[in-house]
């Protein structure tokens, strides 16, 4: 495997990590990836992947209106809110 | 005998015969928590006032002759990744240090409706990622048998709380052994039910295809009681099973006759790396089965050696997706300074997640990224099916498989911190049950020369909880008490 691009992975995962952390993670993740190469030994020819432990498909429920979480409850843990909405930094530039 | 030495069954008998009332019981255990928690760090929060009010209401109903639910007013504590309305639910993480869920988890609703009383939230590895409870932002829970040893993890607080008699019953969650291993390290009974037996509604997700909530108790009967309460279909978790849940009865090991029962012993489980004291204790369990009339059947699970590699890929991939919800916007930690929205995500997550959580998110992100998906994630899912097929073959030949829970007794604190891979490798005996979805239980089976508990694990085919509990009760040893 190529040298692991830890910075790229961290940015895909939306994680700010320090340079010290980068070095630790490169070493630890490389060791783990070396270990999981063990799976190459297994004959998986024609084997269906198993995404779930118990085979359950197409679980339906009646399409009925139910009460949802009140807005005040939904906002109660927000780091920033104006009482009606979650507040985030501006993502569009103002028109000049 | 003091109250905390009694099993849940004995405590409920005391309540029914009116020797005890719920208020006295709850007060007694709250005092015990207050006295022991500074040294054991099992509880992250205690809900004392509301617990006493609830106990008084149950006592009043009882004195009016009204019928009382299955849990009879017993105090119960739950792992801190299980939502309790209005109470701190931190998952052992800085990220959720102020999070108060606006709803109860399904299992909490069930406990309340059967008159169980929630007395607090239990310490755990951050987001249930770890095998020692040391990744908790609140510091590790400590093993009541030796304060320098880990309680195991990730449900370390749950195991300690029951082992030290701070509560008679507790809930944990098990994604790769997180109930069975700490139960084993602390000398109590802990069970992971079949995947889908218990609704995950209100359980903070780690790896959704592997996570399952389950009970801790001082004996097999206590585990059966609590599983009776929490098990069954819930429409809010589409993976919860739409099939009848068997009434789990009272179990007794006395005069058990196991003629016709086939007990599997897996050769690969007793190889290199297994501590000789642990091996001897588990062999002792095998001999007890034999002396009760069971037939011992040697078995092979040829793919068990691949379970850790498959598990850490699958679990981390699912975690990287599940933990994407922590964005510093809806709930959880938000960084004080950031340049734009993406930087808000990166800084908030970088600051508030601990090292193990970041490591697993990154491993999962990498294994799902373009060019690596087939080689890692998809391959792991195919190996997972091979592991399940091994168990299907095994359970065509035996009723139950006996194995160690972990290769050693409890680790010393700090021993595993610098080498994550070494910690992952210690999950070898528990992890395949999560991949295969089968139920498993850890039962106390003796002690090391230095006085640490040793447990045996019993595994059964999917949906065979009743059989598993009956056989566990047949070989269970009476609970002993650490000198705390």
């Amino acid at each position: 495997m190529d040298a692991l691009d830890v910075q790229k992975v961290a940015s895909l995962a939306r994680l700010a990590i320090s340079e010290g952390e980068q070095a630790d993670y490169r070493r630890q993740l490389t060791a783990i990836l070396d270990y999981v190469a063990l799976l190459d030994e297994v004959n998986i020819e024609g084997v269906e992947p198993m995404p779930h432990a118990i085979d359950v498909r197409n679980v339906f429920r009646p399409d009925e209106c139910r009460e949802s979480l009140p807005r005040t409850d939904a906002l109660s843990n927000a780091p920033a809110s104006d009482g009606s909405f979650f507040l985030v930094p501006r993502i569009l530039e103002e028109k000049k | 005998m003091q109250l905390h030495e009694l099993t849940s069954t004995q405590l409920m008998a005391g309540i029914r015969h009116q020797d005890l009332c719920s208020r006295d019981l709850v007060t007694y255990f709250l005092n015990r928590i207050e006295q022991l928690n500074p040294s054991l760090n099992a509880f992250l929060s205690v809900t004392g006032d509301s617990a006493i009010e609830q106990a008084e209401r149950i006592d009043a109903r009882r004195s009016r002759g009204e019928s009382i639910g299955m849990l009879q007013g017993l105090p119960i504590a739950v792992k801190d990744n299980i939502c309790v309305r209005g109470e701190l639910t931190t998952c052992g993480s800085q990220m959720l240090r102020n999070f108060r869920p606006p709803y109860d988890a399904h299992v909490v609703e069930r406990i309340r409706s059967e008159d169980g009383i929630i007395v607090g939230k239990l310490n755990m590895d951050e987001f249930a990622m770890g095998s020692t409870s040391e990744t908790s932002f609140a510091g590790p829970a400590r093993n009541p048998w030796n304060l320098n040893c880990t309680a195991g993890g990730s449900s370390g607080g749950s195991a300690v709380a029951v082992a030290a008699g701070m509560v008679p019953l507790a809930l944990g969650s098990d994604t790769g052994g997180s109930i069975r291993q700490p139960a084993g390290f602390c000398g109590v009974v802990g069970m992971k039910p079949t995947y889908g037996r218990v609704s995950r509604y209100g359980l903070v997700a780690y790896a959704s295809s592997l996570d399952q909530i389950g009970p801790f108790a001082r004996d097999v009967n206590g585990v059966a009681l609590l599983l009776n309460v929490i098990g069954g279909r819930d429409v809010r978790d589409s993976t919860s099973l739409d099939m009848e849940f068997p009434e789990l009865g009272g179990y007794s090991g006395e005069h058990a006759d196991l003629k016709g029962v086939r007990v599997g012993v897996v050769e690969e489980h007793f190889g290199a790396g297994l501590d000789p004291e642990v091996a001897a204790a588990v062999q002792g369990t095998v001999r007890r089965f034999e002396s009760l009339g069971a037939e011992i059947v040697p078995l092979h699970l040829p793919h068990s050696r691949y379970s850790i590699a498959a598990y850490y890929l699958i679990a981390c991939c699912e975690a990287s997706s599940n933990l994407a919800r922590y964005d510093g916007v809806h709930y959880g930690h938000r960084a004080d300074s950031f340049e734009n929205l993406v930087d808000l995500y990166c800084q908030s997550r970088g600051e508030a997640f601990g090292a193990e959580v970041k490591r697993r998110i990154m491993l999962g992100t990498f294994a799902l990224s373009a060019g690596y998906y087939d080689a890692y994630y998809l391959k792991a899912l195919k190996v997972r099916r091979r592991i399940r097929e091994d168990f299907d073959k095994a359970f065509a030949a035996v009723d139950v498989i006996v194995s160690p829970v972990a290769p050693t007794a409890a680790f010393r604190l700090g021993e595993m911190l610098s080498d994550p891979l070494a910690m992952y490798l210690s999950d070898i005996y528990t992890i395949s049950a999560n991949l295969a979805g089968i139920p498993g239980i850890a039962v106390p089976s003796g002690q090391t020369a230095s006085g640490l508990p040793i447990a045996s694990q019993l595994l059964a085919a999917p949906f065979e909880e009743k059989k598993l509990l009956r056989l566990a009760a047949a070989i269970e040893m009476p609970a002993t008490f650490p000198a705390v």
Side-chain angles (χ1 to χ4, degrees), chain A residues 46-86:
Chain A
V47 177
E48 275 290 300
M50 180 176 163
H52 283 285
I54 303 293
D55 211 14
V56 183
R57 271 161 221 267
N58 290 349
V59 178
F60 295 111
R61 59 173 171 75
D63 184 16
E64 288 163 352
C65 286
R66 276 180 306 180
E67 282 210 32
S68 58
L69 207 56
R71 179 181 285 210
T72 47
D73 285 6
L75 289 169
S76 62
N77 285 289
S81 148
D82 65 357
S84 299
F85 296 101
F86 296 100

Side-chain angles (χ1 to χ4, degrees), chain B residues 154-370:
Chain B
S154 65
S155 311
S158 310
V160 174
V162 172
M166 299 160 96
V167 275
L169 297 172
L171 287 182
S173 67
D174 190 315
T175 304
S178 282
I179 290 174
R180 290 159 287 156
Q181 184 254 30
F185 279 7
C186 294
V188 297
V189 183
M191 183 180 192
K192 179 198 103 67
T194 306
Y195 182 84
R197 247 326 167 206
V198 180
S199 167
R200 292 177 294 108
Y201 178 77
L203 172 69
V204 178
Y206 158 25
S208 306
S209 84
L210 305 164
D211 296 340
Q212 191 64 188
I213 298 172
F216 286 83
R218 304 199 61 76
D219 65 348
V220 172
N221 263 327
V223 158
L225 166 72
L226 194 48
L227 187 58
N228 258 327
V229 171
I230 63 172
R233 169 94 173 130
D234 167 29
V235 291
R236 296 167 300 186
D237 173 2
S238 60
T239 64
S240 80
L241 293 165
D242 193 9
M243 61 187 292
E244 207 178 320
F245 188 68
E247 181 79 12
L248 305 169
Y251 295 89
S252 163
E254 278 176 62
H255 319 298
D257 179 3
L258 302 187
K259 264 190 207 74
V261 171
R262 297 154 305 163
V263 172
V265 176
V266 179
E267 218 156 283
E268 292 87 349
H269 283 167
F270 292 86
L274 180 62
D275 179 274
E277 285 184 303
V278 175
V282 177
Q283 295 294 0
T285 303
V286 174
R287 280 195 302 277
R288 275 203 300 292
F289 271 121
E290 207 168 13
S291 70
L292 293 170
E295 179 195 349
I296 308 302
V297 182
L299 277 182
H300 288 284
L301 295 173
H303 294 90
S304 65
R305 65 185 297 247
Y306 305 109
S307 57
I308 292 171
Y311 171 86
Y312 278 95
L313 286 171
I314 294 168
C316 293
C317 287
E318 294 187 21
S320 73
S321 166
N322 273 327
L323 273 66
R325 74 191 64 188
Y326 302 103
D327 57 0
V329 172
H330 299 96
Y331 46 88
H333 174 78
R334 171 182 281 202
D336 286 332
S337 68
F338 44 83
E339 287 165 12
N340 52 42
L341 185 64
V342 170
D343 195 44
L344 161 68
Y345 300 151
C346 295
Q347 298 300 336
S348 301
R349 293 161 61 80
E351 287 173 12
F353 285 140
E356 182 62 30
V357 172
K358 287 188 218 173
R359 190 150 46 234
R360 294 195 193 192
I361 290 175
M362 290 179 58
L363 180 60
T365 303
F366 174 75
L368 289 174
S369 64

